[in-house]
Amino acid sequence: MLLSTPGLVLHTTPYSESSVVAKVFTRQLGLRSYIIKGVRGRGGRVKQNMLQPLSNLDMVVYNNEKTDLNYIKEISPRNISTYQPANVSIENALRFFMTEVLYKALREAEPMPALWDYVESVETQYEASPHTPIWFLLTVARHLGIEPRDNYCPREPYFCLEAGQFVSAPNETTLSLPLSQTLHEYLLSFRSFPSCTLQSRRDLIDALIAYYHLHLSGFHNFHSHEILHTILK
């Protein structure tokens, strides 16, 4: 069966002499794997630059539910935004970061159109800021059903990474009191700009990556946030 869907490229792997297997987060089908022919050969109709991280594509795909690997019949870039980033280095680092989060967090399953729409909006509409990686991690966590519980209060001021909520006493997986407070401020004032230092933001990104590792199987060997730390000020 043929189906039309937009998709966001997450990862490509060489396949045969001139093709690739692409992991694509599609709006209609969720995460899927596709063979794309002729990408690495001369004169191929699909160019490698169409398959960069988070490339936004219109696709007509074969959808055979009995196999994990399908083919793409038609593919073209979606021209949906005239947004020009103020800082290309920041935008590229953020794009690699978001791609790695999605690639390691998503599993081939049911469609997640609301998450797809959010990722597309971040990629095409929002001006990147030092807060964007934290907002992104918290939003994706909510869509995946692992959002940190904001039960912060004076009697439960420590956020426990393993429990996914604030607790009364520190343990081996709790954040410090200042960092727990920072997380609470982000959860309380979503999409606003909590007052925190550069180091606090870096520490919170690292903590949320550790949180994903605890709550999602297969989420490990994450590296792109290290590049962000050197670029976002």
Side-chain angles (χ1 to χ4, degrees):
M1 180 179 74
L2 288 174
L3 184 145
S4 297
T5 180
L8 298 164
V9 178
L10 300 185
H11 188 263
T12 60
T13 304
Y15 182 81
S16 72
E17 292 185 0
S18 61
S19 303
V20 300
V21 172
K23 285 279 189 179
V24 183
F25 181 28
T26 72
R27 191 178 191 280
Q28 267 76 357
L29 300 169
L31 183 66
R32 289 290 186 268
S33 297
Y34 295 106
I35 296 174
I36 307 178
K37 297 180 178 180
V39 176
R40 297 183 298 122
R42 292 182 179 180
R45 61 186 181 86
V46 179
K47 304 301 182 184
Q48 191 71 47
N49 61 7
M50 288 175 57
L51 304 176
Q52 297 303 306
L54 286 191
S55 291
N56 199 336
L57 306 172
D58 278 321
M59 305 184 303
V60 177
V61 301
Y62 293 96
N63 183 37
N64 182 352
E65 296 292 345
K66 295 182 179 181
T67 179
D68 294 329
L69 192 58
N70 283 281
Y71 285 90
I72 293 179
K73 183 176 187 294
E74 299 176 13
I75 184 171
S76 61
R78 300 183 78 207
N79 297 316
I80 61 173
S81 176
T82 58
Y83 167 67
Q84 296 294 325
N87 188 310
V88 175
S89 296
I90 291 177
E91 291 289 335
N92 286 339
L94 182 59
R95 185 177 297 110
F96 278 106
F97 173 81
M98 294 191 297
T99 301
E100 188 173 16
V101 170
L102 295 170
Y103 178 65
K104 293 183 180 295
L106 296 178
R107 295 294 177 265
E108 297 198 20
E110 295 299 314
M112 303 182 72
L115 175 58
W116 195 95
D117 291 342
Y118 166 73
V119 176
E120 184 189 54
S121 70
V122 173
E123 172 67 8
T124 61
Q125 298 174 24
Y126 295 153
E127 184 73 30
S129 84
H131 304 273
T132 301
I134 297 172
W135 288 328
F136 187 80
L137 287 167
L138 292 175
T139 302
V140 172
R142 183 174 74 240
H143 284 281
L144 295 178
I146 61 166
E147 182 182 18
R149 181 186 174 203
D150 189 18
N151 61 310
Y152 175 90
C153 67
R155 289 185 300 176
E156 295 178 315
Y158 296 92
F159 183 78
C160 178
L161 294 175
E162 186 172 19
Q165 64 181 30
F166 292 88
V167 297
S168 59
N171 60 52
E172 63 275 8
T173 66
T174 53
L175 305 183
S176 66
L177 281 176
L179 196 57
S180 294
Q181 173 70 29
T182 299
L183 174 59
H184 166 62
E185 291 175 0
Y186 273 99
L187 292 170
L188 184 66
S189 306
F190 209 71
R191 297 301 305 174
S192 65
F193 296 87
S195 177
C196 58
T197 65
L198 169 63
Q199 189 60 51
S200 292
R201 290 195 300 270
R202 289 176 173 175
D203 290 344
L204 186 53
I205 291 172
D206 291 344
L208 289 172
I209 294 299
Y211 179 79
Y212 270 64
H213 177 72
L214 285 170
H215 292 271
L216 294 174
S217 61
F219 195 97
H220 50 75
N221 298 325
F222 196 92
H223 300 294
S224 58
H225 62 307
E226 299 168 359
I227 300 174
L228 276 179
H229 289 340
T230 65
I231 292 178
L232 288 177
K233 305 296 184 181

